[in-house]
Amino acid sequence: MTIRVLLADDQTMVRTGFSLILGAEDDIEVVGEAKDGLQALEMVRVLAPDVVLMDIRMPRMDGLQALRELHHPGSAGSPKVVVVTTFDDDEYVHEALNNGACGFLLKDSGPTLLTEAVRAAYSGEALVSPAITIRLLKGLRSPRTAAPAGSGLSSRETDVARLVAEGLTNAEIAAALFVSLGTVKTHLGNIQTKLSARNRVEIALWAWRSGLAER
């Protein structure tokens, strides 16, 4: 299937560059370009994209406010959002991920990460720029050293959550635990249900905050 993408950025050159990169991929189609958050919301309603690449600082409505509008309680059928910004600011990262973003990239991350982030968001996973991933998640740890009571995770699910938080891909988790890729995906689905996590990033956030992950 073709992944339908909406670009939201106030800089024409950025939108043009992203459009050229993504348009070269056989499985990705750029269906629209918005120059601010308000226009992005309007275009989401009309175009129903699968994924939105959202800048943060834009006129009229910034990307974080647009993200909150898309993922407010009770909203249904919202597209996946990947925040793409120039600003490597932990506060922005925290707010974006806590409000449902499926990824957070810096604009200089390169074409490969950009396309990978779109595909990951579409498939229900997430990608955060490697330059900020571990720093971000370490900063969210609490003093606890074990999973919170009532999480309901099995010991194997806990292992999977910990490895997700340490940045391993599904294939790497399967190799580390000597299980199949399908088993890993099953565990991830169970973890999301038990933690009420919307995506892979929220699983990682939970694991670091609970003290499960160490790096």
Side-chain angles (χ1 to χ4, degrees), residues 54-74:
M54 187 85 74
D55 189 19
I56 291 182
R57 294 188 181 178
M58 295 184 290
R60 295 209 298 168
M61 178 185 290
D62 66 32
L64 295 176
Q65 179 60 38
L67 174 63
R68 288 191 291 270
E69 291 290 331
L70 286 173
H71 290 156
H72 65 79

Side-chain angles (χ1 to χ4, degrees), residues 28-190:
I28 300 175
E29 177 188 5
V30 176
V31 296
E33 300 181 13
K35 61 185 178 180
D36 57 56
L38 192 59
Q39 187 178 30
L41 294 180
E42 295 168 353
M43 295 183 78
V44 163
R45 287 191 287 269
V46 173
L47 299 174
D50 300 306
V51 178
V52 179
L53 295 183
M54 187 85 74
D55 189 19
I56 291 182
R57 294 188 181 178
M58 295 184 290
R60 295 209 298 168
M61 178 185 290
D62 66 32
L64 295 176
Q65 179 60 38
L67 174 63
R68 288 191 291 270
E69 291 290 331
L70 286 173
H71 290 156
H72 65 79
S75 61
S78 298
K80 309 292 186 180
V81 177
V82 177
V83 172
V84 187
T85 181
T86 305
F87 305 100
D88 182 5
D89 186 307
D90 285 357
E91 184 176 347
Y92 286 149
V93 182
H94 294 174
E95 185 168 356
L97 298 183
N98 284 327
N99 281 284
C102 285
F104 193 102
L105 294 182
L106 300 179
K107 288 183 179 177
D108 61 1
S109 294
T112 299
L113 277 180
L114 185 68
T115 55
E116 286 182 0
V118 169
R119 293 188 180 108
Y122 180 73
S123 65
E125 298 185 2
L127 191 154
V128 179
S129 289
I132 60 176
T133 301
I134 299 302
R135 186 193 76 227
L136 161 70
L137 295 176
K138 278 187 173 181
L140 294 176
R141 266 187 309 191
S142 76
R144 289 175 290 180
T145 57
S151 66
L153 299 190
S154 69
S155 59
R156 183 44 58 93
E157 289 165 353
T158 300
D159 289 339
V160 171
R162 174 177 54 80
L163 294 175
V164 166
E166 292 177 358
L168 275 66
T169 64
N170 286 357
E172 290 169 338
I173 293 172
L177 298 179
F178 303 102
V179 298
S180 70
L181 188 59
T183 298
V184 172
K185 291 180 178 179
T186 297
H187 285 318
L188 285 171
N190 292 338

